[in-house]
RNA sequence: UGACCCAUGGUGUAAUUGGUAACACGUCUGAUUUUGGUUCAGAAGAGUCGGGGUUCGAGCCCCUGUGGGUCAACCA
């Protein structure tokens, strides 16, 4: 039955899978599939990278191939080992492995140098002595062809000599570059004699001061693919115009039938979320956030600390798909993915964000009962826990109203509610302070309504969570409205990320009370506080205090109704 | 006033490659429920950017227009 359904409903493939299967069918590259994930170690990975990671590793997995991890470290001025380590950690956290295939573009500096020399010898590259301004001035515009550099037809010997001397440290940064000799009139700007090597005096995090010249992205990426035997070089849409140049270099390099192929897909955009690495770096450097792993950040480590599971992120990526459309994905889909996952795995516990004391006047003073409660009603294998109950408890302030509107199902004078896992109680009155604030709610309980008791199936309008005042643990809770503010920066061009990370998106609640069963729960323990939402214990806890980050809220139709 | 890419419910994707628009999220009902959660049942919502053409038949092919994106870093 199930099988026939699967047969009738074939998995639809995205265009990249189709392209790969076509290549496979045509026997290209000997039927090999080999991809790579090529981050530049200049920042932390964010959820946008997760989309690329899932594709690169996913395609290799699906088609019995391999996926390399390759750090695209051709610009020492921006890169650092700190980032290398975090990137590796995040990929593994997502559940992928590159096995022993950890590579660096800088591994190929020697080969790249030789290839450049070979291009010079073939008259396909030359040293240009002009300034950056002069070169860009000659580039022409998108509608007008460029003009040729006066150095374009230097002799091979002179080019060779100059290129060697560039790498000896004889010339200043910016004084000379090596350019590919292609076509200054090409309608594609990238083909107008692109710069392929520049002089940089910053020491490289891996090769130190060995090199004085460094290859540009276009002169490193495709060749690195070629050196590694990559068959499918998957990248984002903005590299589409680079493809002719990618192919041009491969043409000059290849010696047999093997050739890597670049395929572009749409990058991940999320509503209300700033995704630019440069802007995220600003937030970190200016201490607007506590670090790359601040739970408000869309970085993988930020999401992790916020309580997102790797499964939920992979599921989300799966849901949004791969196309060539510049899409903006709604965060609600991400939130759905984490809710779906946590709903299955997170144990339910009681917690009270804004405590309101309830005194059960007919409950004996000093007595304590341990209520046995299912950790997850949908999954009995998660067991039960004992929650202490006593005369004085806390409930959520929001769960009591002195003058309730119509259809308010919770506690109010004269109204009955069930305390989940315990008794049905009825409110008889309140005690107010001099200024009229409600300090205590006075209730009576019905012993026969204890969970499992004779009258336990009596229907009441609402069920509240609660925490015994004497047993409750202090906690600090951080609520995040969204990753960023209500205004949607994803549609804006050059936004200042700070403007969108408004302080209102984070509120820190102290004086919160949680169930004693939470004592000693380690960092990144994910729980669902009944009626409040899904939370994650933070490793940033201070001694003696439990700190929770809200992962995502519950769907709350009552709140929605009353907006 | 160029090259390349893109256009399907509010959002993201599908459509056996030319056979009469499907799925998920979101939204809205209703039922169950010791979480106003979950689960379950159901509904509304696009006729596929416009205009031509080919065809018995077009979301898929062709032409043309419109709209959007990318490209003129010694960044990746």
């Amino acid at each position: 039955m199930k099988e026939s359904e699967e047969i009738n409903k074939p998995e639809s493939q995205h265009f990249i899978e189709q392209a790969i299967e076509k290549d496979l069918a045509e026997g290209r590259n000997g039927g090999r599939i080999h991809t790579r994930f090529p981050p530049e170690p200049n920042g932390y990975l964010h959820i946008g990278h997760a989309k690329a990671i899932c594709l690169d590793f996913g395609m290799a997995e699906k088609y019995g191939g391999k996926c390399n991890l390759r750090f695209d470290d051709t610009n020492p001025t921006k890169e650092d080992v700190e980032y290398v380590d975090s990137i590796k950690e995040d990929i593994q956290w997502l559940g992928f492995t590159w096995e022993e295939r950890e590579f660096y573009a800088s591994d190929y500096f020697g080969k790249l140098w030789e290839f450049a020399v070979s291009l010079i010898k073939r008259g396909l590259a030359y040293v240009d002595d002009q300034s950056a301004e002069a070169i860009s001035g000659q580039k022409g515009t998108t509608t007008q062809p460029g003009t040729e550099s006066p150095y374009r037809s230097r002799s091979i010997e002179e080019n060779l000599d100059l290129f060697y001397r560039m790498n000896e440290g004889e010339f200043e940064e910016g004084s000379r570059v090596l350019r590919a000799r292609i076509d200054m009139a090409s309608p594609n700007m990238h083909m107008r004699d692109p710069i392929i090597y520049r002089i940089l005096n910053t020491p490289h995090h891996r090769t130190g001061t060995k090199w004085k010249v460094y290859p540009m992205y276009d002169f490193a990426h495709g060749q690195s693919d070629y050196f590694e035997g990559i068959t499918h070089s998957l990248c984002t849409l903005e590299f589409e115009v680079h493809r002719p140049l990618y192919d041009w270099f491969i043409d000059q390099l290849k010696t047999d039938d093997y050739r890597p192929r670049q395929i572009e897909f749409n990058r991940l955009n999320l509503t209300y979320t700033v995704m630019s690495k440069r802007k995220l770096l600003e937030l970190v450097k200016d201490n607007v956030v506590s670090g790359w792993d601040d739970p408000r950040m869309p970085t993988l480590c930020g999401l992790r600390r916020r309580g997102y599971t790797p499964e939920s992120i992979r599921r989300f990526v799966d849901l949004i798909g791969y196309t060539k459309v510049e899409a903006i994905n709604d965060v609600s889909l991400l939130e759905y993915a984490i809710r779906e996952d946590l709903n299955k795995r997170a144990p339910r516990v009681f917690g009270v964000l804004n405590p309101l004391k309830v005194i059960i006047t007919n409950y004996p003073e000093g007595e304590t009962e341990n209520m046995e409660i299912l950790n997850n009603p949908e999954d009995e294998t998660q067991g039960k826990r004992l929650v202490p109950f006593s005369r004085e408890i806390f409930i959520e302030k929001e769960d009591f109203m002195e003058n309730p509107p119509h259809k308010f199902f919770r506690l109010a004078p004269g109204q009955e509610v069930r305390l989940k896992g315990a008794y049905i109680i009825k409110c008889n009155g309140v005690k107010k302070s001099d200024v009229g604030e409600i300090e205590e709610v006075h209730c009576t309980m019905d012993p026969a309504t204890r969970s499992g008791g004779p009258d336990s199936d009596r229907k009441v309008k609402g069920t509240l969570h609660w925490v015994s005042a004497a047993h409750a643990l202090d906690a600090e809770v951080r609520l995040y409205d969204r990753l960023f503010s209500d205004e949607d920066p994803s549609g804006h061009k050059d936004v200042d990320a700070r403007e969108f990370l408004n302080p209102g998106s984070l509120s820190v609640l102290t004086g919160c009370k949680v169930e004693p069963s939470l004592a000693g729960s380690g960092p990144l323990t994910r729980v669902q506080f009944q009626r409040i939402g899904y939370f994650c214990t933070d490793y940033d806890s201070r001694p003696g205090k439990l700190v929770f980050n809200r992962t995502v809220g519950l769907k709350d139709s009552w709140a929605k109704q009353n907006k």
Side-chain angles (χ1 to χ4, degrees):
Chain A
M1 193 65 207
K2 199 179 177 188
E3 275 174 60
S4 68
E5 274 171 25
E6 276 163 22
I7 291 165
N8 291 337
K9 211 177 170 187
E11 289 281 308
S12 66
Q13 302 168 318
H14 53 69
F15 74 104
I16 298 174
E17 290 170 321
Q18 289 176 8
I20 289 177
E21 291 193 11
K22 187 158 179 270
D23 290 345
L24 242 22
E26 290 169 0
R28 282 178 56 151
N29 297 325
R32 267 187 327 110
I33 299 297
H34 206 328
T35 58
R36 99 272 91 112
F37 174 61
E40 182 186 14
N42 69 344
Y44 280 61
L45 260 27
H46 54 63
I47 187 161
H49 294 105
K51 181 170 178 174
I53 293 169
C54 291
L55 216 219
D56 291 329
F57 286 94
M59 289 301 95
E61 221 165 73
K62 177 165 183 179
Y63 294 104
K66 293 176 189 321
C67 178
N68 295 355
L69 169 61
R70 181 170 73 229
F71 291 96
D72 226 334
D73 55 349
T74 56
N75 186 357
T77 65
K78 288 188 175 175
E79 297 149 8
D80 196 280
V81 280
E82 174 200 354
Y83 301 123
V84 170
D85 296 336
S86 76
I87 287 168
K88 294 202 289 195
E89 193 187 332
D90 289 343
I91 297 171
Q92 283 170 327
W93 177 70
L94 275 179
F96 295 106
T97 176
W98 53 93
E99 294 169 317
E100 73 294 342
R101 296 179 307 279
E102 175 182 333
F103 302 121
Y104 294 79
S106 54
D107 294 341
Y108 313 125
F109 282 172
K111 283 177 160 178
L112 257 12
W113 166 271
E114 280 166 31
F115 179 47
V117 167
S118 136
L119 286 183
I120 295 172
K121 287 181 177 163
R122 286 184 268 168
L124 293 174
Y126 62 96
V127 173
D128 198 324
D129 298 359
Q130 301 178 102
S131 67
E133 299 73 54
I135 290 175
S136 99
Q138 288 162 1
K139 231 169 187 161
T141 66
T142 51
T143 54
Q144 286 170 316
T147 51
E148 296 186 352
S149 163
Y151 299 95
R152 197 172 197 261
S153 33
R154 275 223 252 243
S155 74
I156 288 172
E157 292 68 32
E158 193 184 2
N159 278 321
L160 244 22
D161 173 60
L162 253 16
F163 188 45
Y164 277 101
R165 284 159 64 198
M166 278 167 66
N167 197 36
E168 301 291 292
E170 198 173 311
F171 308 123
E172 303 249 311
E173 250 182 52
S175 62
R176 280 181 171 82
V177 290
L178 186 70
R179 292 229 256 167
R181 196 165 188 256
I182 307 179
D183 178 9
M184 287 307 289
S186 170
N188 184 334
M189 298 295 286
H190 294 276
M191 300 298 274
R192 320 242 260 231
D193 288 12
I195 291 166
I196 58 179
Y197 262 100
R198 78 287 214 191
I199 302 169
L200 252 27
N201 289 321
T202 312
H204 188 277
H205 67 106
R206 297 193 87 234
T207 62
T209 54
K210 183 179 176 195
W211 298 92
K212 295 283 179 243
V213 291
Y214 292 89
M216 299 285 290
Y217 164 84
D218 284 309
F219 196 69
H221 201 97
Q223 290 93 305
S224 301
D225 285 343
Y226 184 83
F227 298 146
E228 291 178 16
I230 301 303
T231 57
H232 298 267
S233 188
L234 312 174
C235 63
T236 47
L237 250 25
E238 64 270 29
F239 291 101
E240 218 151 23
V241 282
H242 291 244
R243 195 176 347 127
L245 184 55
Y246 179 102
D247 289 336
W248 191 86
F249 286 129
I250 298 294
D251 282 338
Q252 311 311 317
L253 192 58
K254 75 194 285 281
T255 54
D256 55 18
D257 279 347
Y258 157 65
R259 98 171 288 148
R261 193 230 292 209
Q262 176 180 303
I263 301 175
E264 308 85 10
F265 63 93
N266 61 347
R267 91 173 27 246
L268 170 63
N269 293 301
L270 260 191
T271 53
Y272 306 105
T273 309
V274 171
M275 208 78 87
S276 145
K277 240 197 242 180
R278 205 197 86 236
K279 287 167 199 159
L280 296 177
L281 178 64
E282 264 176 43
L283 294 177
V284 174
K285 285 205 164 148
D286 298 347
N287 291 314
V288 180
V289 294
S290 61
W292 288 96
D293 68 346
D294 186 295
R296 285 167 292 180
M297 295 282 272
T299 49
L300 291 177
C301 52
L303 289 167
R304 180 194 317 152
R305 192 170 157 202
R306 177 98 178 262
Y308 277 77
T309 59
E311 290 81 0
S312 70
I313 289 173
R314 290 175 66 159
R315 170 91 170 115
F316 169 67
V317 166
D318 214 51
L319 287 169
I320 61 177
Y322 298 89
T323 67
K324 295 179 82 103
V325 183
E326 303 232 9
I328 299 175
N329 299 277
D330 201 308
V331 270
S332 65
L333 198 58
L334 211 212
E335 294 179 342
Y336 162 76
I338 186 59
R339 244 190 267 116
E340 182 191 43
D341 188 27
L342 252 28
N343 197 38
K344 276 179 269 174
R345 72 210 302 167
R348 274 112 239 236
V349 291
F350 296 150
V352 175
L353 268 32
N354 297 300
L356 173 64
K357 185 168 275 184
V358 172
I359 298 177
I360 298 153
T361 52
N362 63 339
Y363 195 85
E365 240 164 299
E367 190 169 318
T368 299
E369 279 180 277
N370 281 313
M371 302 304 191
E372 198 177 51
I373 300 178
L374 238 32
N375 284 327
N376 188 337
E378 287 144 67
D379 178 10
E380 295 202 6
T381 65
Q382 288 188 24
K384 296 171 177 176
R385 66 189 189 284
L386 296 174
V387 184
F389 181 81
S390 61
R391 181 182 157 92
E392 297 192 2
I393 60 170
F394 291 118
I395 64 166
E396 200 65 57
K397 242 178 201 144
E398 286 184 356
D399 287 347
F400 176 81
M401 278 185 110
E402 202 179 6
N403 301 301
H406 189 55
K407 292 194 98 173
F408 181 75
F409 300 157
R410 311 177 201 182
L411 198 60
Q415 251 173 243
E416 276 192 330
V417 292
R418 165 166 291 283
L419 296 176
K420 185 164 173 77
Y423 302 96
I424 292 177
I425 58 169
K426 183 176 190 174
C427 171
N428 305 308
V430 297
K431 185 185 159 200
K432 291 186 181 178
S433 70
D434 302 339
V435 288
E437 247 176 84
I438 296 171
E439 285 181 323
E440 291 170 2
V441 177
H442 294 236
C443 297
T444 50
M445 62 84 141
D446 178 352
T449 59
R450 187 187 156 138
S451 283
D455 279 350
S456 64
D457 53 353
R458 213 169 91 203
K459 300 282 177 230
V460 285
K461 292 172 221 160
T463 302
L464 304 187
H465 58 164
W466 50 271
V467 172
S468 166
H471 307 268
L473 263 33
D474 284 325
E476 181 177 303
V477 168
R478 297 179 183 147
L479 300 176
Y480 308 91
D481 286 341
R482 280 204 173 95
L483 271 58
F484 290 89
S485 83
D486 274 349
E487 205 166 339
D488 189 351
S490 52
H492 297 67
K493 278 284 171 182
D494 267 306
V495 297
D496 180 346
R498 269 163 299 201
E499 287 174 24
F500 293 96
L501 188 78
N502 71 35
S505 67
L506 168 66
S507 31
V508 180
L509 271 38
T510 52
C512 306
K513 304 289 184 185
V514 297
E515 205 178 270
S517 69
L518 255 7
S521 56
L524 302 188
T525 300
R526 298 169 182 93
V527 296
Q528 188 203 107
F529 285 132
Q530 312 262 0
R531 299 252 325 277
I532 301 178
Y534 303 81
F535 289 75
C536 179
T537 49
D538 198 335
Y539 53 73
D540 191 27
S541 317
R542 267 152 267 156
K545 189 164 261 186
L546 282 163
V547 178
F548 293 90
N549 289 319
R550 175 155 73 176
T551 307
V552 63
L554 244 35
K555 284 190 176 180
D556 188 351
S557 52
W558 166 252
K560 216 175 285 173
Q561 245 178 56
N562 290 278
K563 253 189 176 173

